[in-house]
Amino acid sequence: MLVKYIARRFFASVIVLLGVTLITLVLMDRTRGTYVPGIDLNPSLRPEDIARLRADLGLDRPFYLWYLTWLWGALHGDFGRSMIDGSTVMSHILDRLPNTLELTGTAILIGLVISVPVGVIGALRRGSKTDHGLTVISVAGFAVPQFWMGLLLILVFSVTLEQHGLPWLPSSGAYSAVNGGDFLDRLQHLVLPATVLSFFYVSVWSRFIRSSMLEVLSQDYIRTARAKGMSERRVVYLHGLRNALIPLVTLIGLELPGLVSGGLVVEVVFGWPGIGKLAFERALQYDYTTVMGVTFFAAVLVIAGNLLADVLYGVLDPRIRYG
Amino acid sequence: MIGQSRVAELETPGAAIEGASTRPAQSYWNESWERLRANRIGMAAGVLILLFALIAILAPLFSLLLTHFQPQTIDLSATFGTPGSPHLLGTDELGRDTLTRLIWGGRVTLGVAFLTVAMSLTVGAGVGLVAGYYGGWLEDVLMRLVDMVLAIPAVFLFILMSILFRPNAITLAMIIAFVGWGNVARLVRGEVLSVKQRDFILATRSIGARDLRLMVKHLLPNVLPVMIVAASLGVGQIILVEAALDFLGLGIQPPTPSWGNMLSNSESYFFHSIYLVIIPGVTIFVTVLASNLFGNAARDAFDPRLK
Amino acid sequence: MAAPLLEVQDLHTVFATKEGMVKAVDGVSFELNPGETLGIVGESGCGKSVTALSIMRLQRPGKIVGGKVLFKGQDLTKVTEDEIREVRGREIAMIFQDPMTSLNPVYRTGWQVAEPLRLHHGVDSKKAMTSAIAMLGRVGIPSPAQRARDYPHQFSGGMRQRAMIAMGLTTTPAVLIADEPTTALDVTIQAQILDLLRQVNREFGTATILITHNLGVVAGMCQRVMVMYAGRIVEAGPTTDVFAHPKHPYTWALLRSIPRLDADRHEPLKPIEGLPPSLVDLPRGCAFHPRCAFKVERCTRDVPALLPVGETQLSACWVTQAGGELKGA
């Protein structure tokens, strides 16, 4: 049962992945026609040099050939080389990936730790002042632009504090270039960007958990549980929460792509050397192979995230497992 | 049977007065609108957004009558002014009036947001309705397509698009809508699936109604609440996306003001004027907040289960 | 006669709604003796379920605003949370209408059936599971050891309801309250479940309160019956007597409205005219009078009390209390 379910989802995912890459490359195709590698470095290239460079990079081949060649390479993890510095795209990705994972992983963790209790409390004390207060904070948090929040935090905790001679938090990078790299140093650098990122998660997830809990608590089996004479705590946590968390798992699984793309703005604002920032910088420099590689990677993560969410859902909900 | 007894009751003198009282029946729409109106915070939020939209549309008028400035007017003698007269919200690094730029920027930001929502809803609802209604292979194909579009990492797409061609408001709206319509399609299809189960669809079909008629006249009104909620929440989300893009330099380019790009320089000039950092940010925050509050209120009003 | 097991005295439960205060239970009094089966009959919204829930203090968001529920020397409306929890599931068990939604979908059935034992008798999981499996077998579920490991959705409707009954009985409670236990089931399965309930009553001696809107179910199952209307009891008595000669116009009309196989096929059906009253805005006097075929002037003024009419029955009707007879076409 479960195996069939997973297999079906996997197959669908593959199709989706192919589709995504196709769409993305179609869009990318527009640069291909006019891009001249190295034009920034040497504006006085002769036409024949240009033609040679383009031919080397295979920029003149018909689209389907280009797409298939690229796809073949991609499936082997070969995204070609950066057009700027010549090193492989994959090495760039692997270089930056851990940083991104560090940041978003931490943010998701903090998000979970805070939003589950907040959501549960909001559901249990529905309508009370506590609930209203928490709701206000959640709704507000959902409306704050991430880049603005980052900006403000930097201005307050980095710039202003430093100005006044108080201990301040670093505003960019994952670790200090000089004498840095140890755990405490990394932690210091992590604080501000992780706060900004997790703020968003907490706002969304706590509302979600609250409404999921409310729905679960109105179910008949909760009434049955109470009729069996168990304590309210047992009813809520053992019988209620277990059901309420199932949809959350799906939500988090869908956040997986956010691991890469969601953090992009935060990475740029805080100069965090992750994949998002990589894509952003390289895009501005027209390094399309790198951008393509990162995009593909992100698309794989999106699809993997969906698949993971579906699988987890299937595992946690016995109705699907033994359906 | 019931009609008969009502008549019987009226015939018996006095029965109508001491008879059983009944609650007046109310249609789903009326009940929902009443619930929405009762939610004062939500209504206030909705009014606020409309107000902002109105101000944005009438931007030239406000420029002329209220602030007496144009958004591009440079005045190097009045840089980094603090709020007061004549610059009600101060000025930026080139002496341009902040309030004026805020109003004109609202034009861009809100314009993109509403346009995007309109496009997303149209395409998304269309696809969702067709997919949900017809089912079968058509639904599978359409939903796979939706999966594909949604799987495209939006951020990277934006980056790609923006370097390919410098977007103006309309193309920006198209790009964001392209990425977002998938969610609407999924939502609408889900609603259609649940509405489709209800017997009145079968009944309508059994009297020979054509597909298109069924979809438009019967399914659509039932799906509308979900769309309204999605639209209200969507406006806020799109404003955030648009502002982020502008901030990164991928969206609307200066000197055309938008709330996002008004913030991109402000970090460098923070020492000179903190208002430059605060004012556009607060504006975005308030607008998105209003959109969220209204969207939540709409959702509470239209969801029959939350009674 | 032995002392009654459960005594409800003038119970009042209300719900606060937008339209006003709904008097769901409006002065209900009755007794339940050990081992007997009592049926509570009435239309939807008449307050029968709320009465049962109020006994167990599960009536939230409603509030019990008056009356007593005497059980084993305690007034259940006044005891503490902890004390009522001791009673729930252990002394008084309740099973509900829809077994699909009344069982937690994410836990195995056996585990749920064994839960009251673990909770109330402090039995360890293994022993509790053994007892649960035994009980599942006793309620007629084949291969109980395997079935105990299944999830609720893997059971058929009838089997699920049997599992719920098993769950209610594991602690051998003194009282079992069944709220519309057969309404969500096929007719053929209904009969089986009713048989099971009768068997349980005989073998375990559990006093049973059966709540239903179906007169046929009551006839087959309950020794005594109470008819409720608009939050009040309008008639009570031994089932055979009440059905043979009803002493309240509502009961009379209910019985008359049931289509009969042996009736002349051209005879029109006889529904009760009118609609049930709004519980926020009850009519003056007897709540049934707007729909009553026998009403007199007094019915529009004074609320009738539940008083003996005839040898064994109680009825809340001015007409029959004064000796009037209920006859009609």
Side-chain angles (χ1 to χ4, degrees):
Chain A
M1 248 325 108
L2 185 62
V3 173
K4 235 175 84 177
Y5 173 73
I6 295 181
R8 245 183 327 145
R9 306 299 304 143
F10 183 74
F11 188 60
S13 306
V14 169
I15 298 185
V16 172
L17 183 62
L18 286 176
V20 171
T21 49
L22 188 59
I23 295 177
T24 327
L25 262 89
V26 163
L27 293 168
M28 250 296 170
D29 193 35
R30 296 220 30 210
T31 29
R32 209 166 53 102
T34 52
Y35 180 69
V36 180
I39 192 80
D40 313 308
L41 304 170
N42 190 351
S44 59
L45 284 173
R46 298 168 304 171
E48 46 272 32
D49 291 331
I50 295 177
R52 187 172 43 88
L53 282 167
R54 285 175 58 85
D56 274 346
L57 289 167
L59 290 176
D60 286 323
R61 280 186 257 167
F63 175 75
Y64 68 89
L65 212 58
W66 181 57
Y67 174 62
L68 289 170
T69 334
W70 186 88
L71 191 62
W72 183 250
L75 290 174
H76 288 95
D78 174 18
F79 294 120
R81 294 176 172 280
S82 158
M83 310 198 85
I84 305 299
D85 58 34
S87 38
T88 61
V89 172
M90 199 47 157
S91 68
H92 278 300
I93 293 179
L94 290 177
D95 203 34
R96 309 285 202 108
L97 187 59
N99 295 328
T100 299
L101 290 179
E102 182 187 330
L103 178 60
T104 32
T106 313
I108 289 182
L109 214 62
I110 298 178
L112 273 180
V113 164
I114 298 184
S115 60
V116 171
V118 168
V120 171
I121 292 177
L124 292 180
R125 312 229 178 130
R126 180 190 193 174
S128 72
K129 289 229 180 71
T130 320
D131 181 30
H132 276 136
L134 289 175
T135 307
V136 165
I137 297 181
S138 302
V139 174
F142 201 42
V144 175
Q146 274 188 335
F147 62 92
W148 188 56
M149 186 180 179
L151 207 59
L152 288 178
L153 285 184
I154 290 178
L155 289 175
V156 170
F157 289 99
S158 290
V159 181
T160 319
L161 286 184
E162 184 181 4
Q163 267 203 316
H164 293 163
L166 294 167
W168 46 278
L169 286 169
S171 64
S172 72
Y175 50 86
S176 306
V178 181
N179 293 333
D182 67 342
F183 180 70
L184 198 62
D185 182 49
R186 288 191 84 98
L187 196 65
Q188 269 187 324
H189 281 86
L190 193 54
V191 170
L192 288 181
T195 307
V196 174
L197 207 49
S198 60
F199 196 67
F200 178 75
Y201 290 143
V202 169
S203 309
V204 176
W205 292 348
S206 61
R207 296 279 303 161
F208 187 79
I209 291 177
R210 178 182 174 276
S211 65
S212 183
M213 265 309 260
L214 282 176
E215 188 165 333
V216 162
L217 288 177
S218 69
Q219 293 294 317
D220 286 345
Y221 54 81
I222 295 294
R223 182 181 53 176
T224 307
R226 288 204 182 104
K228 292 201 306 201
M230 62 185 77
S231 66
E232 195 61 19
R233 169 170 295 157
R234 190 185 165 93
V235 171
V236 166
Y237 291 109
L238 196 60
H239 283 261
L241 195 59
R242 175 76 173 71
N243 278 277
L245 286 180
I246 295 179
L248 180 68
V249 164
T250 319
L251 198 66
I252 296 183
L254 294 173
E255 265 311 307
L256 200 61
L259 276 180
V260 170
S261 38
L264 187 140
V265 175
V266 173
E267 281 183 16
V268 172
V269 169
F270 285 94
W272 188 268
I275 292 195
K277 182 156 172 288
L278 174 70
F280 179 66
E281 291 168 340
R282 294 311 169 98
L284 291 178
Q285 298 172 55
Y286 290 95
D287 183 359
Y288 84 89
T289 40
T290 310
V291 178
M292 276 309 307
V294 177
T295 308
F296 181 84
F297 198 77
V300 168
L301 280 186
V302 169
I303 293 164
N306 286 343
L307 192 60
L308 185 67
D310 284 337
V311 168
L312 277 179
Y313 199 96
V315 164
L316 288 176
D317 188 341
R319 284 170 285 195
I320 300 186
R321 216 177 349 151
Y322 299 95
Chain B
M1 287 298 158
I2 294 184
Q4 258 188 327
S5 67
R6 283 254 166 79
V7 170
E9 261 180 53
L10 286 171
E11 283 174 353
T12 322
I17 306 171
E18 62 217 1
S21 61
T22 47
R23 270 157 271 129
Q26 259 191 321
S27 80
Y28 170 67
W29 275 103
N30 291 341
E31 246 187 55
S32 301
W33 281 118
E34 264 196 31
R35 264 204 297 259
L36 186 58
R37 251 178 309 205
N39 187 331
R40 286 203 300 235
I41 297 181
M43 289 308 287
V47 166
L48 187 72
I49 298 223
L50 286 177
L51 197 65
F52 278 12
L54 200 65
I55 295 178
I57 295 176
L58 298 175
L61 206 63
F62 278 89
S63 251
L64 208 58
L65 300 175
L66 182 66
T67 63
H68 307 293
F69 291 107
Q70 291 299 318
Q72 321 285 18
T73 319
I74 300 181
D75 180 0
L76 292 170
S77 68
T79 58
F80 303 118
T82 51
S85 184
H87 296 283
L88 292 167
L89 288 178
T91 59
D92 66 3
E93 73 274 13
L94 294 178
R96 295 176 290 198
D97 178 51
T98 305
L99 180 58
T100 314
R101 284 176 67 82
L102 206 63
I103 295 177
W104 284 82
R107 216 174 200 208
V108 173
T109 307
L110 288 176
V112 169
F114 284 114
L115 190 58
T116 310
V117 165
M119 287 194 276
S120 282
L121 279 186
T122 316
V123 176
V127 170
L129 271 174
V130 168
Y133 180 74
Y134 285 108
W137 63 268
L138 186 58
E139 179 184 12
D140 280 338
V141 165
L142 284 175
M143 284 295 118
R144 287 301 140 248
L145 185 66
V146 168
D147 284 343
M148 272 181 226
V149 172
L150 283 178
I152 301 175
V155 185
F156 300 105
L157 198 66
F158 293 145
I159 297 177
L160 279 175
M161 298 271 202
S162 321
I163 45 176
L164 291 177
F165 45 94
R166 296 283 160 194
N168 59 31
I170 302 198
T171 42
L172 192 60
M174 275 170 38
I175 297 173
I176 304 180
F178 175 70
V179 174
W181 68 266
N183 278 317
V184 178
R186 270 197 191 153
L187 227 66
V188 168
R189 167 187 163 256
E191 270 304 293
V192 169
L193 285 183
S194 78
V195 172
K196 215 169 62 157
Q197 313 284 27
R198 296 195 218 155
D199 287 333
F200 77 86
I201 294 294
L202 191 60
T204 316
R205 222 198 255 145
S206 71
I207 63 171
R210 286 215 313 274
D211 288 343
L212 189 63
R213 182 189 171 81
L214 252 180
M215 280 197 282
V216 173
K217 278 210 85 150
H218 293 276
L219 283 177
L220 192 55
N222 280 283
V223 164
L224 220 47
V226 173
M227 285 170 61
I228 293 179
V229 173
S232 337
L233 294 174
V235 167
Q237 292 319 297
I238 295 171
I239 292 178
L240 286 177
V241 167
E242 194 268 338
L245 285 177
D246 294 346
F247 177 76
L248 292 177
L250 299 172
I252 309 293
Q253 302 294 315
T256 314
S258 88
W259 292 344
N261 68 27
M262 280 169 79
L263 280 170
S264 16
N265 268 344
S266 59
E267 188 184 4
S268 336
Y269 300 113
F270 151 72
F271 289 111
H272 300 278
S273 171
I274 193 166
Y275 297 104
L276 291 177
V277 181
I278 301 211
I279 290 175
V282 168
T283 316
I284 298 176
F285 172 66
V286 167
T287 316
V288 175
L289 185 62
S291 136
N292 287 348
L293 287 174
F294 184 73
N296 281 339
R299 186 196 292 147
D300 288 345
F302 284 109
D303 188 347
R305 291 174 306 160
L306 287 182
K307 274 226 230 183
Chain C
M1 185 131 92
L5 190 54
L6 180 70
E7 222 184 301
V8 175
Q9 292 175 356
D10 198 33
L11 185 65
H12 288 263
T13 304
V14 299
F15 285 77
T17 68
K18 261 195 325 202
E19 291 96 6
M21 203 60 100
V22 170
K23 296 196 218 135
V25 180
D26 194 20
V28 164
S29 307
F30 65 92
E31 287 170 6
L32 181 67
N33 296 308
E36 80 169 326
T37 46
L38 171 70
I40 306 184
V41 161
E43 290 168 298
S44 306
C46 71
K48 46 195 201 298
S49 288
V50 182
T51 305
L53 290 170
S54 301
I55 294 175
M56 308 247 294
R57 290 248 297 266
L58 288 172
Q59 78 292 339
R60 266 194 305 176
K63 283 178 60 126
I64 301 177
V65 294
K68 296 192 179 145
V69 175
L70 300 174
F71 178 73
K72 293 203 172 165
Q74 286 181 306
D75 178 5
L76 296 182
T77 62
K78 307 272 191 311
V79 299
T80 64
E81 253 323 286
D82 285 335
E83 286 167 336
I84 192 74
R85 271 202 293 267
E86 286 291 304
V87 173
R88 283 182 199 150
R90 181 194 230 175
E91 311 263 14
I92 306 181
M94 189 157 172
I95 63 177
F96 300 96
Q97 175 173 326
D98 189 350
M100 183 63 233
T101 56
S102 296
L103 288 170
N104 197 325
V106 299
Y107 291 118
R108 297 183 204 268
T109 311
W111 185 89
Q112 294 185 55
V113 171
E115 202 175 8
L117 280 175
R118 295 197 305 271
L119 275 172
H120 292 291
H121 293 181
V123 180
D124 72 71
S125 347
K126 266 180 76 180
K127 275 207 281 206
M129 186 60 100
T130 319
S131 303
I133 294 175
M135 188 59 79
L136 285 173
R138 284 186 78 170
V139 296
I141 295 179
S143 320
Q146 277 157 294
R147 296 300 259 162
R149 292 186 53 76
D150 283 343
Y151 289 89
H153 70 274
Q154 293 172 281
F155 283 67
S156 70
M159 288 293 149
R160 267 199 294 271
Q161 193 60 291
R162 288 179 195 264
M164 275 221 71
I165 294 174
M167 193 165 72
L169 294 173
T170 44
T171 52
T172 49
V175 179
L176 177 69
I177 305 179
D179 190 353
E180 308 262 18
T182 55
T183 310
L185 302 171
D186 292 338
V187 170
T188 44
I189 309 291
Q190 277 187 21
Q192 290 176 10
I193 297 298
L194 289 176
D195 279 341
L196 177 61
L197 285 173
R198 263 197 299 270
Q199 180 193 339
V200 159
N201 174 250
R202 269 198 318 267
E203 281 179 22
F204 291 81
T206 324
T208 309
I209 299 180
L210 182 60
I211 300 172
T212 177
H213 60 265
N214 187 328
L215 290 167
V217 166
V218 171
M221 173 82 199
C222 306
Q223 294 155 332
R224 282 198 304 135
V225 67
M226 273 166 40
V227 181
M228 282 187 73
Y229 186 80
R232 302 175 185 145
I233 303 179
V234 295
E235 177 157 7
T239 313
T240 35
D241 291 342
V242 171
F243 276 40
H245 29 81
K247 297 290 188 211
H248 190 281
Y250 177 57
T251 321
W252 178 88
L254 270 181
L255 288 165
R256 208 177 63 121
S257 69
I258 299 176
R260 299 177 59 113
L261 274 177
D262 58 348
D264 182 11
R265 59 198 285 231
H266 295 295
E267 240 182 84
L269 292 175
K270 308 184 189 93
I272 308 179
E273 307 197 336
L275 294 167
S278 153
L279 293 177
V280 181
D281 193 13
L282 287 168
R284 250 181 78 197
C286 171
F288 185 63
H289 84 252
R291 309 166 75 185
C292 181
F294 302 96
K295 66 167 176 277
V296 298
E297 207 266 327
R298 189 171 186 200
C299 304
T300 65
R301 276 185 298 120
D302 304 327
V303 179
L306 190 64
L307 294 171
V309 175
E311 288 163 48
T312 52
Q313 290 159 264
L314 297 169
S315 169
C317 176
W318 296 125
V319 173
T320 53
Q321 280 169 12
E325 298 243 328
L326 303 177
K327 279 213 214 334

